[in-house]
Coordinates of all heavy atoms in Angstrom, one line a residue:
R1 N 188.8 -28.8 325.3 CA 187.9 -29.9 324.9 C 186.5 -29.8 325.5 O 186.4 -29.6 326.7 CB 188.5 -31.3 325.2 CG 189.7 -31.7 324.4 CD 190.5 -32.9 324.9 NE 189.6 -34.0 325.2 CZ 190.1 -35.2 325.6 NH1 191.4 -35.3 325.9 NH2 189.3 -36.2 325.9
A2 N 185.5 -29.9 324.6 CA 184.2 -29.8 325.1 C 183.5 -31.2 325.3 O 183.4 -31.9 324.3 CB 183.3 -29.0 324.2
E3 N 183.1 -31.5 326.5 CA 182.5 -32.8 326.7 C 181.1 -32.6 327.3 O 180.3 -33.5 327.4 CB 183.3 -33.7 327.6 CG 184.7 -34.0 327.0 CD 185.5 -34.9 327.9 OE1 185.1 -35.2 329.0 OE2 186.6 -35.4 327.4
R4 N 180.8 -31.4 327.7 CA 179.5 -31.0 328.3 C 179.1 -29.6 327.7 O 180.0 -28.8 327.3 CB 179.5 -31.0 329.8 CG 179.8 -32.3 330.5 CD 180.0 -32.2 332.0 NE 180.2 -33.5 332.6 CZ 179.3 -34.3 333.1 NH1 178.0 -33.8 333.2 NH2 179.5 -35.4 333.7
V5 N 177.9 -29.3 327.8 CA 177.4 -28.0 327.3 C 178.1 -26.8 328.1 O 178.5 -25.8 327.6 CB 175.9 -27.8 327.4 CG1 175.4 -26.4 327.2 CG2 175.2 -28.7 326.4
D6 N 178.3 -27.1 329.4 CA 179.0 -26.1 330.2 C 180.4 -25.7 329.7 O 180.9 -24.6 329.9 CB 179.1 -26.5 331.7 CG 177.8 -26.4 332.5 OD1 176.9 -25.8 331.9 OD2 177.7 -26.9 333.6
D7 N 181.1 -26.6 329.1 CA 182.4 -26.4 328.5 C 182.3 -25.3 327.4 O 183.1 -24.5 327.2 CB 183.0 -27.6 328.0 CG 183.3 -28.6 329.1 OD1 183.6 -28.2 330.2 OD2 183.2 -29.8 328.8
I8 N 181.2 -25.4 326.6 CA 181.0 -24.5 325.5 C 180.7 -23.1 326.1 O 181.2 -22.1 325.6 CB 179.8 -24.9 324.6 CG1 180.1 -26.3 323.9 CG2 179.4 -23.9 323.6 CD1 179.0 -26.9 323.1
L9 N 179.8 -23.0 327.1 CA 179.5 -21.8 327.7 C 180.7 -21.1 328.4 O 180.9 -19.9 328.3 CB 178.4 -22.0 328.7 CG 177.1 -22.6 328.2 CD1 176.0 -22.7 329.3 CD2 176.5 -21.7 327.0
R10 N 181.6 -22.0 329.0 CA 182.8 -21.5 329.6 C 183.7 -20.9 328.6 O 184.3 -19.8 328.8 CB 183.5 -22.6 330.4 CG 184.8 -22.2 331.0 CD 185.3 -23.2 332.0 NE 185.7 -24.4 331.4 CZ 186.9 -24.7 331.0 NH1 187.9 -23.8 331.1 NH2 187.2 -25.9 330.5
A11 N 183.9 -21.6 327.4 CA 184.7 -21.1 326.4 C 184.3 -19.7 325.9 O 185.1 -18.8 325.7 CB 184.8 -22.0 325.2
H12 N 183.0 -19.5 325.7 CA 182.4 -18.2 325.3 C 182.7 -17.2 326.3 O 183.1 -16.0 326.0 CB 180.9 -18.4 325.1 CG 180.2 -17.1 324.9 ND1 180.3 -16.4 323.7 CD2 179.3 -16.4 325.7 CE1 179.6 -15.3 323.8 NE2 179.0 -15.3 324.9
A13 N 182.5 -17.5 327.6 CA 182.7 -16.5 328.7 C 184.2 -16.1 328.8 O 184.5 -15.0 329.2 CB 182.2 -17.1 330.0
E14 N 185.1 -17.1 328.5 CA 186.5 -16.8 328.8 C 187.3 -16.4 327.6 O 188.5 -16.2 327.7 CB 187.1 -18.1 329.4 CG 186.6 -18.5 330.8 CD 187.2 -19.8 331.3 OE1 188.0 -20.4 330.6 OE2 186.9 -20.1 332.5
G15 N 186.7 -16.3 326.4 CA 187.4 -15.9 325.2 C 188.2 -17.1 324.7 O 189.3 -16.8 324.0
R16 N 187.8 -18.3 324.9 CA 188.5 -19.4 324.3 C 187.6 -20.1 323.3 O 186.5 -19.6 323.0 CB 188.8 -20.4 325.4 CG 189.6 -19.8 326.6 CD 189.9 -20.8 327.7 NE 190.4 -20.1 328.9 CZ 191.6 -19.6 329.1 NH1 192.5 -19.8 328.1 NH2 191.9 -19.0 330.2
V17 N 188.0 -21.2 322.7 CA 187.2 -22.0 321.8 C 187.1 -23.4 322.3 O 188.1 -24.1 322.7 CB 187.8 -22.0 320.4 CG1 187.0 -22.9 319.4 CG2 187.9 -20.6 319.8
A18 N 185.9 -23.9 322.3 CA 185.6 -25.3 322.7 C 185.6 -26.2 321.5 O 184.9 -26.0 320.6 CB 184.3 -25.4 323.5
L19 N 186.5 -27.2 321.6 CA 186.6 -28.2 320.5 C 185.7 -29.4 320.9 O 185.9 -30.0 321.9 CB 188.0 -28.6 320.3 CG 188.3 -29.6 319.1 CD1 189.7 -29.3 318.6 CD2 188.3 -31.0 319.6
I20 N 184.7 -29.7 320.0 CA 183.8 -30.9 320.2 C 184.4 -32.0 319.4 O 184.2 -32.0 318.1 CB 182.4 -30.5 319.8 CG1 181.9 -29.3 320.6 CG2 181.5 -31.7 320.0 CD1 180.6 -28.7 320.1
P21 N 185.0 -33.0 320.0 CA 185.6 -34.1 319.2 C 184.5 -34.9 318.5 O 183.5 -35.4 319.1 CB 186.3 -35.0 320.3 CG 186.5 -34.0 321.4 CD 185.3 -33.1 321.4
S22 N 184.7 -35.1 317.2 CA 183.6 -35.7 316.3 C 184.3 -36.6 315.3 O 185.4 -36.5 314.9 CB 182.8 -34.6 315.6 OG 182.3 -33.6 316.5
L23 N 183.5 -37.6 314.8 CA 183.8 -38.4 313.7 C 182.7 -38.5 312.7 O 181.5 -38.6 313.1 CB 184.2 -39.8 314.2 CG 185.5 -40.0 315.0 CD1 185.6 -41.4 315.5 CD2 186.7 -39.7 314.2
E24 N 183.0 -38.5 311.4 CA 181.9 -38.5 310.4 C 181.3 -39.9 310.2 O 180.3 -40.0 309.5 CB 182.5 -38.0 309.1 CG 182.8 -36.5 309.2 CD 183.1 -35.9 307.8 OE1 182.1 -36.0 307.0 OE2 184.2 -35.4 307.6
A25 N 181.9 -40.9 310.7 CA 181.3 -42.3 310.6 C 181.7 -43.2 311.7 O 182.8 -43.0 312.3 CB 181.7 -42.9 309.2
A26 N 180.9 -44.2 312.0 CA 181.2 -45.2 313.0 C 181.9 -46.3 312.5 O 182.1 -47.4 313.1 CB 179.9 -45.6 313.7
T27 N 182.4 -46.2 311.2 CA 183.1 -47.3 310.5 C 184.2 -48.0 311.4 O 184.3 -49.2 311.4 CB 183.6 -46.8 309.2 OG1 182.5 -46.3 308.4 CG2 184.3 -48.0 308.4
P28 N 185.0 -47.2 312.1 CA 186.1 -47.8 312.8 C 185.7 -48.8 314.0 O 186.5 -49.6 314.4 CB 186.9 -46.6 313.4 CG 186.5 -45.5 312.6 CD 185.1 -45.7 312.2

């Protein structure tokens, strides 16, 4: 799970994938 930019950079360095949790609308 990616919550900071460092998580994305770590995923790249470690051969993993960072998932950025997102929602397409604030309706809920």
Side-chain angles (χ1 to χ4, degrees):
R1 283 169 54 180
E3 299 183 353
R4 296 172 180 265
V5 169
D6 283 350
D7 295 327
I8 296 173
L9 301 179
R10 177 166 68 88
H12 172 69
E14 295 179 354
R16 305 180 195 279
V17 177
L19 183 148
I20 302 168
S22 309
L23 290 174
E24 292 193 56
T27 303

